[in-house]
Amino acid sequence: MEKKKRSFQMPHTYIIIFWVILVAAILTLFIPLGQYDTKAITYTVNGEEKTRTVVDPDSFRYVLDENGDKVTQAAPLFGTESVGGRGGILNYVFEGLTTGDKSSGAVGIIAFILVVGGAFGVVLRTGAIESGIMRVIDLTNGKEILLIPILITLFSLGGAVFGMGEEAIPFVMILVPMFIAMGYDAIVGIMCSYVATQIGFGSSWQNPFGLAVAQGIAGVPVMSGAWFRIPLWIFFTVLTIVFTMRYAARIKKNPKLSAAYESDQEYREEFAKRGRDELPFTLGHKLVILDVFLCIIWTIWGVVEKGYYIPEIASQFFVMGLAAGIIGVAFHLNDMRLNDIPRAFDHGAADLLGAALCVGMAQGIIIILGGTDPSQGTVLNTILHTLSDGMKNFPPVISAWFMYLFQSVFNFFVVSGSGQAALTMPIMAPLADLVGVERQVAVVAFQLGDAFTNFIVPTSGCLLGALAAARLEWGQWAKFQIRFQALLAACGSAAVILGVLTGLS
């Protein structure tokens, strides 16, 4: 009897995170604890003075015991904060889920994902999105591939101008089924939304959450260097457009080449069941689409003018979902009744529950390594010091490239742009002086290293939320993304080296 060959299957995101947790736990056996002192710095953004607590780069020291020996603290197998001072290996899920507050950390992102998922569950229940998608397909009349450059440009501008990130998750829920209905796949939808925002975020000339913070900490004029960054943004945006359009054309020709082919089947079956002719586009549907559009405008205004962040944006989308539900009931869209609003909210939140759990689990990695507080003795502080210290003995071009590589690797542990800037830029800026690299180049290395790995590292809450909205596993996504990541790494390296050679300051 002939044995059937077993094909390789990418492990589930939960399994990948669990293995990383074990690796982090092993590191705690050998890497001693280190800590920094912190200091407050001030900088000006658009005439407004900002204050931020950052590390003192010259203050690193190892934690020593009474005999003067370096201290290592192995992560306990089981334990909470009241046992051994930190969470144990087997507590990583609960501890990760309860980290932070509503404005930052896992708790805020988890709540954001669930609320947005619920709100869009209500919108989708009305059937307005499906009907709208079919109208877009009719209007494009075979030229739907032109939507790719338009959408990537718009979302990249969103990332560049006001630091769009988490806000892209709701759009994934709209664009993914639209592109699948057009004959493409979920990957194209993610590339045109979430990935495009991070391309803009990383090459921005005015991003208030990444660039402004990094330049303020590095002590260079905030929002300076636009002459270098605007062409950089154009280059990386065009690169993303070309890569995505070539990929989309290949998938349109043969959908089975897609890494998302199996997971997209559910969408294809839904569209096949309903049929294009069976989807009316009534006044009620148009009002729901208008509701979504007005929420987008409200969100952009809130972020730019009022500085809205996770709590406010989540509430804005909740209002959108509530309004869509009321419209759906009033116009009897899809035979909606009042009780269908909470049921749809439950269903939408449930669709993104896996992503919310992944955010907490990924945060558990940081907890095992001791957390991100530089003033506490942690393994992460020692890793930060060791990696940065190893860059001192190289020529400027090589040192700048190592800065880019360092920021890319460190983003695995700290995916928050402003958080990573507060931890790394106080060290990278004076290091740049030592090795003969302009501080502005160190900021470019931070920008590119931070943003471009945001759509590959399994510790990114935004990425996991976007993938869950597209019903796509991280392993499936990584199978596709690794090629684009390699291309970005090569171009990012070239950009940093160009910054050194042109004397960017």
Side-chain angles (χ1 to χ4, degrees), residues 155-479:
F155 278 96
S156 182
L157 271 173
V161 174
F162 62 89
M164 191 175 186
E166 291 90 349
E167 301 90 337
I169 295 174
F171 296 99
V172 174
M173 303 177 80
I174 298 173
L175 295 182
V176 163
M178 183 184 78
F179 277 112
I180 293 173
M182 290 176 174
Y184 302 113
D185 65 358
I187 288 171
V188 174
I190 298 173
M191 288 292 291
C192 288
S193 51
Y194 175 70
V195 168
T197 66
Q198 297 309 295
I199 291 294
F201 194 99
S203 54
S204 172
W205 62 95
Q206 68 173 78
N207 173 7
F209 299 112
L211 173 65
V213 173
Q215 287 183 323
I217 293 171
V220 298
V222 173
M223 308 299 185
S224 61
W227 67 269
F228 184 85
R229 287 184 173 84
I230 290 176
L232 203 65
W233 173 79
I234 294 171
F235 171 79
F236 279 111
T237 301
V238 171
L239 180 71
T240 306
I241 290 170
V242 172
F243 186 91
T244 306
M245 290 183 75
R246 290 185 63 183
Y247 171 80
R250 195 163 67 250
I251 296 304
K252 182 99 169 182
K253 191 174 181 181
N254 185 0
K256 291 185 178 179
L257 292 175
S258 169
Y261 181 74
E262 291 182 8
S263 57
D264 287 350
Q265 185 61 29
E266 187 177 345
Y267 285 109
R268 288 192 293 269
E269 288 174 356
E270 287 174 7
F271 282 114
K273 280 179 188 176
R274 311 251 347 225
R276 188 176 297 192
D277 296 332
E278 297 177 22
L279 294 176
F281 196 50
T282 64
L283 174 61
H285 293 113
K286 293 174 183 177
L287 289 175
V288 173
I289 297 293
L290 179 63
D291 172 42
V292 174
F293 179 74
L294 290 176
C295 181
I296 293 168
I297 300 298
W298 185 22
T299 302
I300 293 172
W301 173 83
V303 171
V304 175
E305 294 294 327
K306 298 293 184 180
Y308 285 176
Y309 196 45
I310 289 175
E312 295 85 1
I313 297 169
S315 298
Q316 288 174 312
F317 279 104
F318 176 80
V319 171
M320 176 202 72
L322 182 62
I326 293 170
I327 295 169
V329 172
F331 286 84
H332 304 291
L333 302 180
N334 269 353
D335 298 321
M336 276 189 75
R337 298 186 178 183
L338 194 60
N339 282 342
D340 287 322
I341 297 176
R343 290 189 190 116
F345 190 92
D346 278 350
H347 184 73
D351 284 345
L352 296 190
L353 180 60
L357 289 171
C358 282
V359 171
M361 291 180 187
Q363 189 63 38
I365 299 168
I366 310 304
I367 293 173
I368 295 298
L369 294 175
T372 57
D373 185 349
S375 63
Q376 299 296 315
T378 70
V379 169
L380 195 60
N381 286 334
T382 303
I383 292 174
L384 173 61
H385 169 73
T386 303
L387 291 175
S388 61
D389 206 43
M391 301 180 201
K392 292 180 178 176
N393 302 314
F394 294 97
V397 168
I398 303 299
S399 294
W401 181 74
F402 271 125
M403 287 179 183
Y404 168 62
L405 187 65
F406 164 79
Q407 297 287 6
S408 300
V409 172
F410 203 75
N411 195 44
F412 181 90
F413 303 105
V414 183
V415 291
S416 163
S418 57
Q420 186 175 342
L423 279 171
T424 63
M425 286 313 300
I427 297 171
M428 291 295 107
L431 178 62
D433 297 338
L434 285 175
V435 299
V437 173
E438 293 287 348
R439 291 190 172 200
Q440 193 76 266
V441 175
V443 174
V444 171
F446 156 76
Q447 283 183 270
L448 301 180
D450 164 53
F452 288 176
T453 48
N454 277 341
F455 36 84
I456 189 66
V457 294
T459 51
S460 169
C462 292
L463 171 63
L464 297 176
L467 294 180
R471 304 176 189 174
L472 195 63
E473 289 289 338
W474 181 87
Q476 295 171 289
W477 169 251
K479 185 178 177 182

Side-chain angles (χ1 to χ4, degrees), residues 79-87 95:
T80 64
E81 290 183 359
S82 60
V83 181
R86 59 176 168 171
E95 295 290 339

